[in-house]
Amino acid sequence: MNIIVSQEIETVCPGFVGVAVEAQVRNTPFCPELWQDINALVAEYRNSLTPTSIKEQIPGIAATRRVYKACGKDPSRYRPSAEALIRRVLQGKDLYQIDTLVDLINLASMRFGYSIGGFDADKFVGGTLTLGIGREGEPYEGIGRGIINIEGMPVYRDEQGGVGTPTSDNERTKITLATTHLLTLVNGYDGNEEQVMANAAFIQQLLRQYCDSDGGVCTVYK
C-alpha cells in the first residue's frame, strides 16, 4: 500500500511521522492471554494516571489533540481513540471486547498513546491511501457510531473515500473475524519516530504471539 501525507497535513503538523504494519494474520473471537496483557495495563494506568494528567504524561495524545485544534476540530468533543480508551478505563469502565485483532490494536494504542488505524486491507479501493483533512459534508460512517462529522479531522482516504480518522475508522474497511490481510497505521503527530517505531514493533510482537503471524512488514511514511 502506497501512503501519501498531503500538504494540508504537513502544514498543520510539519513533523508528522507514521508507520504502517502490513501482515497476514488469523483473527479469533477472544484471546485470554491477550486480555491478561490488557488487564495488566489497565491496572497500571488506574494506579498512575488521572483524567487530567493524561495529556501531560502521554505526549502522543497531547500532540493529536493539538493537530485536531489546528485543523479546526474540538478534541474534547471528538476524542482521539487512544485518549478515549484510556479515559474509559480511568472512569472504572471495562474496555469493549471485540475480537483479537481489534483488542490487540486497542492495547497497542493505549500503551503508546497513538491513535492507530486498523483495517482489513483487502477492502481498500485502489493501491494508495492519502492522509488529508476532512471536508464539510464529507460522508463517513464510523464503526459503531453511524454517520459522523469528520470536517476538520485528519482522515485517510482510498479511491472511494475516507477509511480512517484518529477518532474512528470506517465501517467499510473494518476488521472482522474473516480478516486475513491486516494493515495498521500508527500516527505520530508528535514527530517522535523512535516511539512510533517502537509502537509498530509492539504490534508486530503481539501479532506473532496471538494471531499466527510472522509480524509482517513495517513501512515509515512522512
Side-chain angles (χ1 to χ4, degrees), residues 51 54-55 61-62 64-65 75-76 78-89 109-110 113-115 166:
I54 293 172
K55 292 175 285 185
I61 288 175
T64 307
R65 289 177 62 89
S76 295
Y78 296 89
R79 293 196 189 279
S81 58
E83 180 182 359
L85 290 166
I86 295 172
R87 283 183 176 275
R88 181 175 179 83
V89 301
S109 182
M110 291 174 63
Y114 295 120
S115 291

Side-chain angles (χ1 to χ4, degrees), residues 11-132:
T11 298
V12 297
C13 186
F16 174 85
V17 57
V19 178
V21 178
E22 190 168 0
Q24 295 297 315
V25 296
R26 182 178 69 87
N27 201 5
T28 54
F30 178 76
C31 177
E33 294 81 10
L34 172 63
W35 272 88
Q36 289 178 5
D37 294 347
I38 292 170
N39 289 330
L41 181 62
V42 168
E44 176 186 330
Y45 278 179
R46 284 175 175 166
N47 286 329
S48 63
L49 294 175
T50 68
T52 55
S53 72
I54 293 172
K55 292 175 285 185
E56 300 168 2
Q57 294 184 245
I58 305 179
I61 288 175
T64 307
R65 289 177 62 89
R66 285 195 299 271
V67 168
Y68 266 46
K69 291 177 181 177
C71 293
K73 205 68 171 175
D74 180 358
S76 295
R77 183 177 180 188
Y78 296 89
R79 293 196 189 279
S81 58
E83 180 182 359
L85 290 166
I86 295 172
R87 283 183 176 275
R88 181 175 179 83
V89 301
L90 294 183
Q91 292 166 358
K93 299 176 183 177
D94 293 331
L95 288 177
Y96 299 108
Q97 189 272 311
I98 309 298
D99 58 52
T100 299
L101 283 175
V102 175
D103 298 341
L104 177 157
I105 292 167
N106 286 343
L107 170 60
S109 182
M110 291 174 63
R111 169 59 75 186
F112 286 83
Y114 295 120
S115 291
I116 301 172
F119 311 96
D120 186 322
D122 291 335
K123 296 178 180 178
F124 291 131
V125 178
T128 299
L129 294 177
T130 301
L131 178 59

Side-chain angles (χ1 to χ4, degrees), residues 135-150:
R135 308 182 187 103
E136 181 180 1
E138 184 171 0
Y140 192 93
E141 183 178 1
I143 297 174
R145 291 171 171 260
I147 302 302
I148 62 174
N149 174 16
I150 65 167

